[in-house]
Amino acid sequence: MLKARKKYEVRTAGDRVLNLTAAPVGAVTPEIREMAEDMIRCMDAFDGIGLAAPQYGVSLRLIVVDVPLSEEEAAKGLTEFEARMYDAMPVALVNPEVTGRSDAVCEREEGCLSVPQIWAPVVRPERIAFRAQLLDGSVVEGECGGLLARCLQHETDHLDGILFTDRLSPAAGERIAGQMRRLLETGSRCNYRRVTRK
Ligand code: ZN
């Protein structure tokens, strides 16, 4: 008999859990490992490249990312940290921290599974220094740029209750204000949750 497929759920803007400062993960227990694996399946079900635990409804400092390596990035040459990360994708990162930010910034269109159907340009540091723990307890640390740096900043922001829509220029904020208002109205009708149809 076919096994019933599980539906996945992501919290959307307006859910209070997205505004909280998430608590550090104490120890990587089997429960945490299981949750991280389920978050990866959830991210995949929504075709995302990153998911933070609060989006999954849990206020803990845990993120999962699955950033594709573009030819352009590969051609530039990868730092040791980038190579390790791309190798490990999809990867769960425990207690992630952005420990340094370049002065150079860049602008790129962002979206978010918790802010469905809305995209807007966000200015962020181009490169970051980053540190996190893997599920096996080892620590990964190093510098990265490109889409990986952007994704890690976006996901780590979620752990501090920050959405990309909080980082928009006034003009960009204005442009999406109507869409945001509609999203919050729709979200309130379904308890700020979206569910996969898969
Ligand atoms: Zn997001």
Side-chain angles (χ1 to χ4, degrees), residues 55 112 154-155 158:
Q55 297 180 275
C112 178
H154 176 119
E155 299 311 329
H158 274 299

Side-chain angles (χ1 to χ4, degrees), residues 61-116:
R61 303 191 84 80
L62 171 64
I63 64 172
V64 295
V65 296
D66 191 10
V67 178
L69 175 58
S70 67
E71 278 177 33
E72 190 191 336
E73 287 293 319
K76 276 191 223 159
L78 301 179
T79 64
E80 205 176 304
F81 171 73
E82 286 168 333
R84 187 168 176 197
M85 290 293 287
Y86 282 115
D87 236 27
M89 303 275 178
V91 65
L93 299 162
V94 178
N95 298 327
E97 258 183 284
V98 177
T99 56
R101 293 167 178 83
S102 65
D103 291 333
V105 294
C106 60
E107 188 180 71
R108 188 170 181 150
E109 200 93 337
E110 288 188 27
C112 178
L113 295 178
S114 296
V115 189

Side-chain angles (χ1 to χ4, degrees), residues 101 110 121-124 153-154 157 160 162-169:
R101 293 167 178 83
E110 288 188 27
V122 183
V123 176
R124 295 190 188 267
Q153 292 179 78
H154 176 119
D157 265 356
D160 294 319
I162 299 166
L163 296 177
F164 82 92
T165 49
D166 298 323
R167 292 203 180 273
L168 301 182
S169 68

